[in-house]
Amino acid sequence: MLRHLSRKTLTHLTYLFNHLLRLGHFPTCWKRAKVVPIPKANKPGNDPNSYRPISLLSTLGKLFERIVAARLTSFVNRQHLLPHTQFGLRKKHSTVFQLVRITDYISNGYNFHRHSGIVLLDLEKAYDTVWIHGLLYKLITFKLPTYILLTLKAFLEGRSFTVHLNDTSLSPKTSPSGLPQGAVLSTTLFAIYISDMPHPPNTQLALYTDDTAILTQSWRTDTIVHRLTHATSVLFRYFTRWKLQVNIHKTGHFVHSTPSCSPNTSPLPADSNPVELTNPLSSSPTRPQTPVYEAFNLSNS
């Protein structure tokens, strides 16, 4: 639609966007989302968790977001604010390149007859649980230009949404926390939010926006267990501090073993008890627990 606007109208839009940037303002009407629940496949229709909310936002608002996102991304790249392990939202990086990096890491371990252990962390409702004031604090510490910081503050605060299901619409609700689903800026802001994630010793991290993999190698499987357990504890503390929640039911874990183990290697037997992956800050005795580690020897497959 915007492509077919007259030159005069586009000129007025340019004046409007420049004025908004000078003021550090984001109009309230562009922050009202129309949420349409889309049912997930093979899920019960009477469960609210069986629907994926899709937010429909103003076209002009999304265009203005792209302008702000381009300036924010340019600043982030110039200042090298994202860690080198983050492959999301970076030019000449992709999921394929991250997978190649992981594959190369495991292949190098094969050459030295090492086991490679991996834990795949899944953040539960990652964008919805972002702590807005914590994000603004990080943006301030990164010393963003004032006009970008004020515009992002206006973008994040005072958001609302209305749920539309079939021919019914509910009353508007405010969004006290979280990044708006479907917003152009959300992925960049989330990558910035977790850019200070600690790097546990003797491990490698592989990130793609909100997806996190922890890798380590050793000739001994018990060393891998110790390293991965310590690494998950460190990251659990970090996520808890910044009000993010790891979904332990969707967290994956496995070990790649060399076809022939070296003499000083002691593979984990199939019937051994794995180390458990739980939130170390949770004291609830009824909290479900998921094993962090289970060995698979490729020579037996």
Side-chain angles (χ1 to χ4, degrees), residues 83-99:
H84 71 279
T85 54
Q86 174 64 267
F87 276 46
L89 306 169
R90 296 175 63 191
K91 289 185 178 180
K92 300 180 180 180
H93 291 69
S94 67
T95 52
V96 175
F97 290 162
Q98 187 68 283
L99 289 174

Side-chain angles (χ1 to χ4, degrees), residues 2-15:
L2 294 178
R3 295 179 182 273
H4 300 287
L5 295 177
S6 64
R7 180 176 295 273
K8 183 177 181 179
T9 304
L10 293 176
T11 301
H12 286 304
L13 283 178
T14 303
Y15 288 148

